[in-house]
Amino acid sequence: EDRSLDQFRNLRLQTTKGQVPIVNFIEISPQQRVSAINRVDGLYAMTVKADVLEEEGYDLNAKIAEIDEWVKGQTWPNGVFFKFRGANEEQAESMQFLMKAMIASLVMMFLVLVTQFNNFYQTALTLVTIILSVFGVLLGMVLTGQKFSVIMTGTGIIALAGIVVNNAIVLIDTFNREREVQKDVLTAVLATASQRLRPILLTTTTTIAGLIPMAPQVNLAFFTRTIAVGGITSIWWVQLSTAIISGLAFSTILTLVVVPVMLAMPETVTRAYVGL
């Protein structure tokens, strides 16, 4: 019964003039209790948590950018700074990892292709197909109304890079063999396109056909012979499958046109220049 705020008023401080009641120096008022003090890297830290109402159509990244702009526009005391954590921090880390993985894969592809073709131009032309596939991925996300997922869409782009280069490798390798037989570059290009058109379309079609059930979240159970739409895990593969389908379809069509044209361009331009 003696533990109350009034007991603080009975405390006295020893001064040069004797003992003085502590209430002469302080003001006592009840406040909310602090159960714990959190520190991050030795600094006092406070965590503010919030969720975005997805059913209302709010975008998490847009809200984070809005809050960040508001925070930067305010005046804060010295030593106070802010850092977005949680899903935003994990997304940034995933983006950095995928960018490093993409750069590493491109470097390894470049080294292997230079060794195979012994030609920097043909190697660069092969890697251009990856850029074409990225445009196809972005176009597919826009047409389907899906959001760009750093993890799933980024993983799809990296996986797509290893697929689309096969078409260019097949075309360029066939072109190099035709050049050993055909003296005219245009004849070699036409022969290459006619020979590799069906194999490229077949491999592309079968790959897309295998991924189509994943895009609309269709689950096929062969043992029970049942078909189900939607599911807890199926939604995770929608963005990845959409990225591969759209990027592969878009890049294949352009590859069949761009790669043969670019293969014939150096000699064609040289002939035109010499002719002039």
Side-chain angles (χ1 to χ4, degrees):
E1 65 273 9
D2 294 332
R3 291 174 179 250
S4 63
L5 293 178
D6 293 334
Q7 295 297 325
F8 287 103
R9 301 180 184 275
N10 299 328
L11 296 177
R12 295 177 178 272
L13 298 178
Q14 183 66 38
T15 66
T16 56
K17 301 296 184 180
Q19 293 186 350
V20 180
I22 194 174
V23 292
N24 293 347
F25 307 101
I26 64 173
E27 179 182 352
I28 301 176
S29 61
Q31 298 291 334
Q32 184 176 359
R33 177 185 176 185
V34 179
S35 58
I37 297 178
N38 298 325
R39 294 185 181 274
V40 177
D41 296 333
L43 300 177
Y44 176 67
M46 297 181 65
T47 303
V48 180
K49 298 181 180 181
D51 291 328
V52 177
L53 297 177
E54 297 182 357
E55 61 271 12
E56 298 293 335
Y58 292 115
D59 184 16
L60 176 61
N61 295 327
K63 280 298 176 183
I64 291 177
E66 181 181 347
I67 297 174
D68 185 46
E69 183 179 358
W70 179 85
V71 169
K72 292 179 179 178
Q74 306 301 314
T75 301
W76 306 99
N78 294 331
V80 177
F81 60 92
F82 297 84
K83 181 179 180 180
F84 289 94
R85 310 200 69 174
N88 184 71
E89 185 179 27
E90 294 176 358
Q91 182 176 354
E93 293 177 354
S94 301
M95 174 67 77
Q96 294 178 358
F97 172 77
L98 291 176
M99 288 298 297
K100 294 179 181 178
M102 188 66 179
I103 294 174
S105 62
L106 290 176
V107 172
M108 295 178 65
M109 288 180 187
F110 179 82
L111 296 176
V112 173
L113 292 174
V114 167
T115 305
Q116 179 181 355
F117 294 140
N118 196 23
N119 188 307
F120 285 101
Y121 177 76
Q122 294 181 352
T123 300
L125 182 57
T126 304
L127 297 180
V128 166
T129 58
I130 300 177
I131 300 177
L132 299 179
S133 66
V134 174
F135 283 111
V137 171
L138 299 178
L139 180 61
M141 303 298 286
V142 172
L143 294 178
T144 57
Q146 297 183 17
K147 298 180 181 179
F148 187 92
S149 173
V150 174
I151 298 177
M152 301 308 294
T153 308
T155 305
I157 293 177
I158 295 178
L160 187 62
I163 301 175
V164 297
V165 296
N166 293 336
N167 298 334
I169 292 174
V170 168
L171 284 173
I172 295 175
D173 183 66
T174 305
F175 172 76
N176 291 336
R177 285 185 293 171
E178 288 293 330
R179 283 292 287 156
E180 297 176 357
V181 180
Q182 304 288 344
K183 294 183 178 180
D184 184 47
V185 64
L186 296 179
T187 304
V189 167
L190 292 176
T192 299
S194 62
Q195 292 179 25
R196 295 306 175 188
L197 176 63
R198 184 171 63 178
I200 290 176
L201 291 180
L202 285 176
T203 54
T204 301
T205 303
T206 53
T207 303
I208 294 177
L211 293 172
I212 284 179
M214 298 176 62
Q217 305 181 41
V218 177
N219 297 321
L220 303 176
F222 294 99
F223 295 102
T224 59
R225 286 179 285 184
T226 58
I227 301 176
V229 179
I232 299 177
T233 59
S234 61
I235 192 173
W236 289 95
W237 306 103
V238 173
Q239 294 171 324
L240 186 144
S241 59
T242 303
I244 296 179
I245 291 173
S246 57
L248 184 59
F250 186 82
S251 64
T252 299
I253 296 174
L254 289 185
T255 298
L256 292 173
V257 177
V258 173
V259 173
V261 172
M262 296 298 290
L263 287 174
M265 187 183 69
E267 188 167 340
T268 303
V269 173
T270 302
R271 288 180 181 179
Y273 181 76
V274 173
L276 292 176

